Amino acid sequence: MFHDRSRYQSARGYQLAPFRFSPLDGSRYIATNDVGEYVVLPRAELVEFVSHALPPDRETYKALKSRHFMFDEHSRVALELLALKYRTRAEQLASFTGLHIFVVTLRCDHSCPYCQVSRQAEGRLDFDMSREHADRALDFMFRSPSPALKVELQGGEPLLHFERIRYIVERARALNQVHRRDLQFVIASNLSRLTDEVLAFCREHGVLLSTSLDGPEALHNTQRPVRGGDSHQRTIDAIRRARQVLGPDSVSALMTTTQASLERVEDIIDEYVRQGFHGIFLRNVSPYGFAVRQRASRQYGVEAWVEFYKRGLAHILRINEQGYPLQEEFTAILLQKLFSPRGSTYVDLQSPSGIGIGALVYNYDGAVYASDEGRMLAEMGDFSFRLGHLSRDTYESIMTSETLLAHLSDTMPEGAPMCSDCAFLPYCGADPVFHQATLGDSVGHKAFSDFCKKQMGVLRHLIGLLEDDSRARDILMGWR
């Protein structure tokens, strides 16, 4: 890999701007710069370019110049444009924390083997959030300067403590009469307790729903067991009822890839189409909670998941060609990183990491965490990402705590070993909780990082499709 770290190098004909490159496949390289522009080059042209021997009448010369990889005597004004693009991609940091997760209970009525949290039995009321902690968390939330605030109500199964959900939503709306923010509410639920009362409340306050759908009936029931064995039917019935009351776009769904899922990606995607969804997030198992204790997170390697993703994306593209619009959400996020001038606000792919400054988590017991995964890690006995407590700490002390600041300083890939020289840096980010859980260090040794292997595998495949498959490119560019 090559990374031109000098500000600009004087040379005959043109000057090089800082850039990185990495192999794309056996004969081509992807070169990227700090604002996320990329060019795919055969090895011979890459050698010519870095040797200052690329002829100005070559199409590659024009592409590199237009995307700020070089400057010549006719393009000095492009330096200011490059700086503007860099500022634009970073300006979202000024908005600060937009996602606020309220864990209203750890109680749950499902017993999913890949569960990332340490769920509790339905009768354990001591794992419910108190009104006092809810009030304090709302005060914290409105201290954020973000003009848009998203309240995500989680569990366990949050509908088991619907009383607290009702209080948080109504209280937030009342406070917002003063604060005037763009408020959004989402309940992340298995929907098994979705009553008419809950639906009426969601309709009144514009609350959206997010659920889990792991595929066809037998697969879903195996992976998401519930008393009675009919979790799939309960979920599908609830989705239909919610759409009838709240509208067709009121419910989103997530799937989790287990060992049993690996050979069934087409079946899983077809189930989403069958149930009328137009988006699916092909998600791998996370190494937290019950997923670790029951070894669900170690049943397959990241290479197997990347192949699962490739097959799934190919099937989704075929479905689009047949006239049914279906978007793979992780791919859409990466396309935003590739082509949007502002990148993406997806918390897991930020530099510095989105912990704390992108999301805050208020646990049922009043503890405040830098991310949802940080909360899950704490349930396993590692409190590296606990920032403080609602009863003892102020907003200022939490947001300026050494815990948060130290992690943020460690999560800027531009200065991290092996990240700083990687061509995929502009489209990636840092996941300190994942590295802490898997490698025992929040920075992590990138040569052993499954996070890196996943990102590079997906990005190489995606950029290869954009370069080589015109039909795929036409569909993918509509997902940006």
Side-chain angles (χ1 to χ4, degrees), residues 237-291:
D237 290 345
I239 289 171
R240 290 171 181 166
R241 289 171 49 231
R243 286 171 172 167
Q244 289 172 357
V245 175
L246 306 177
D249 299 322
S250 59
V251 187
S252 61
L254 288 171
M255 61 78 60
T256 300
T257 308
T258 66
Q259 181 70 35
S261 309
L262 285 178
E263 299 304 319
R264 302 195 62 185
V265 65
E266 293 86 0
D267 295 336
I268 294 167
I269 292 166
D270 289 345
E271 177 68 10
Y272 272 71
V273 173
R274 200 158 35 243
Q275 302 306 332
F277 285 102
H278 293 281
I280 182 172
F281 199 126
L282 299 176
R283 189 174 62 155
N284 58 303
V285 170
S286 298
Y288 312 108
F290 284 122

Side-chain angles (χ1 to χ4, degrees), residues 297-330:
S297 63
R298 290 178 284 175
Q299 289 181 347
Y300 61 86
V302 66
E303 295 85 0
W305 182 87
V306 171
E307 290 306 311
F308 171 90
Y309 166 83
K310 291 178 181 179
R311 282 177 36 226
L313 184 58
H315 191 57
I316 291 169
L317 293 173
R318 287 193 296 270
I319 289 171
N320 279 271
E321 288 178 348
Q322 294 165 7
Y324 185 90
L326 180 65
Q327 177 172 290
E328 203 288 309
E329 303 296 352
F330 184 57

Side-chain angles (χ1 to χ4, degrees), residues 155-187:
E157 172 43 55
L159 292 182
L160 288 172
H161 197 18
F162 179 62
E163 173 190 355
R164 190 61 61 240
I165 289 176
R166 181 190 294 277
Y167 179 79
I168 290 170
V169 172
E170 292 178 345
R171 178 66 176 158
R173 286 172 61 87
L175 290 170
N176 202 42
Q177 295 297 311
V178 175
H179 294 284
R180 300 291 183 182
R181 308 294 180 86
D182 178 12
L183 273 184
Q184 183 182 10
F185 301 96
V186 179
I187 299 175

